[in-house]
Amino acid sequence: MTSNQTDCHYCLQSLRGRKYALRKENAYCVTCYDSLFANPCEECKQPIECDSKDLAYKGRHWHEGCFKCAKCSRSLVEKPFAAKDELLLCTECYSDEYSSKCFHCQRTIMPGSRKMEFKGSSWHESCFVCQYCRQPLGTKPLITKDNENYCVPCFEKQFAHHCYSCKKVITSGGVTYHDQPWHKECFVCAGCKTQLFGQRFISKDEYPYCVDCFSKLYAKKCAACKKPITALGGAKFISFEERQWHGECFNCVKCSVSLVGQGFLTRQDDVLCHECGSA
């Protein structure tokens, strides 16, 4: 700019017919302005004079010709760039040095593009999709199987077991009974509905029963003590003419000697050893 009416605000020399610069409504000759206000260039350390373009980034300044990639030296003027450890890099150099590779396609995830992180790996947003329906997973709940990711509905449709009792998906744990999966809370006694997980039970007509219910409903009664014979744990029992005895109850009715594995005689409903029966 030129002026015929004022003096330099700093050196007081006339600005008539000379270039000058304005700062806060005060006029300065070019020499005074550059010495007082010009920013030093980050690259060449020389002042950025008032007739040069001053490019600024995060409080730092460069000449237009000095604003270039620290690795390949290509100009960054009006081009995308990235900063790393106070160095400016073009997107290509930054990607080569620092960008993550997509776990799915193995291509570089360019600076400025959205990146998904999952189990220590990085993904392009467009690559982070359900293996089955191919819909983006984003931040939705997901399940991983054989290094492939699935949205929950697709995983349940493809892989999850359904409870034999309630028909709903078993998401974790469960019980297998007669080759069928059950929720732990659904695996109950067919009689009293008590949960059987971790408990002893007896199977009858493909249904599980707790010991008490099975004994009440189906177990034979011992001819001697009248208590149910469940045969749990391999317990021995004796059967003779539609009557059954616990092994420890199969004794001579007179002398109480055990008849298990021995010959015996019967008298009406009683069982006797040979000696008592012959007496």
Side-chain angles (χ1 to χ4, degrees):
M1 300 178 66
T2 60
S3 173
N4 295 315
Q5 302 178 356
T6 187
D7 298 331
C8 172
H9 185 71
Y10 187 72
C11 69
L12 304 179
Q13 292 186 21
S14 173
L15 297 176
R16 186 174 299 169
R18 299 171 60 191
K19 290 182 178 180
Y20 70 94
L22 289 174
R23 182 179 176 86
K24 296 181 179 179
E25 298 184 359
N26 295 318
Y28 296 85
C29 66
V30 172
T31 302
C32 288
Y33 183 90
D34 288 342
S35 65
L36 292 171
F37 306 115
N39 294 306
C41 175
E42 286 287 327
E43 177 65 21
C44 69
K45 311 305 179 185
Q46 298 299 313
I48 303 173
E49 299 170 338
C50 64
D51 57 352
S52 299
K53 184 178 287 188
D54 185 335
L55 300 179
Y57 174 72
K58 290 189 175 180
R60 297 186 294 161
H61 301 263
W62 289 262
H63 289 105
E64 185 175 13
C66 295
F67 194 63
K68 54 192 178 183
C69 174
K71 185 176 181 184
C72 69
S73 299
R74 284 183 291 183
S75 175
L76 298 177
V77 177
E78 297 183 357
K79 293 181 180 178
F81 63 90
K84 180 69 174 179
D85 300 329
E86 296 189 356
L87 297 177
L88 302 185
L89 300 167
C90 64
T91 53
E92 290 83 358
C93 289
Y94 183 88
S95 298
D96 291 341
E97 291 289 324
Y98 304 109
S99 288
S100 303
K101 295 291 191 296
C102 176
F103 182 83
H104 178 72
C105 70
Q106 295 303 308
R107 295 178 181 174
T108 298
I109 301 174
M110 299 298 288
S113 61
R114 191 171 183 187
K115 179 174 68 173
M116 310 303 296
E117 298 280 350
F118 180 65
K119 290 188 175 180
S121 298
S122 301
W123 307 65
H124 290 112
E125 185 178 22
S126 58
C127 291
F128 195 57
V129 298
C130 171
Q131 180 67 18
Y132 185 73
C133 69
R134 311 307 298 175
Q135 294 300 307
L137 290 171
T139 56
K140 297 177 184 176
L142 61 92
I143 301 173
T144 300
K145 178 178 174 62
D146 299 331
N147 289 326
E148 300 289 356
N149 300 320
Y150 298 85
C151 63
V152 174
C154 285
F155 182 86
E156 292 180 349
K157 185 185 301 182
Q158 291 294 107
F159 305 110
H161 295 294
H162 290 75
C163 177
Y164 182 78
S165 176
C166 70
K167 311 306 180 186
K168 295 180 181 179
V169 170
I170 300 173
T171 56
S172 63
V175 178
T176 299
Y177 173 69
H178 281 301
D179 295 326
Q180 298 292 344
W182 302 61
H183 288 114
K184 291 179 181 179
E185 59 271 20
C186 292
F187 189 60
V188 298
C189 172
C192 66
K193 307 305 180 185
T194 300
Q195 288 191 17
L196 295 177
F197 179 71
Q199 306 297 320
R200 292 198 302 175
F201 64 90
I202 302 172
S203 178
K204 173 70 174 176
D205 298 331
E206 296 188 358
Y207 290 98
Y209 291 85
C210 67
V211 175
D212 288 343
C213 284
F214 183 85
S215 298
K216 291 176 183 177
L217 294 172
Y218 302 109
K220 305 283 187 182
K221 299 294 192 298
C222 176
C225 70
K226 310 305 180 184
K227 294 180 180 180
I229 300 173
T230 63
L232 283 175
K236 293 181 179 180
F237 69 97
I238 311 300
S239 180
F240 176 71
E241 293 183 350
E242 299 183 357
R243 289 187 295 166
Q244 289 81 30
W245 290 262
H246 292 110
E248 62 272 19
C249 293
F250 192 55
N251 303 321
C252 174
V253 70
K254 291 188 68 175
C255 69
S256 299
V257 68
S258 174
L259 299 177
V260 177
Q262 306 297 321
F264 61 92
L265 301 173
T266 61
R267 183 180 298 162
Q268 296 181 348
D269 290 337
D270 295 335
V271 289
L272 302 150
C273 65
H274 278 293
E275 291 185 8
C276 292
S278 301

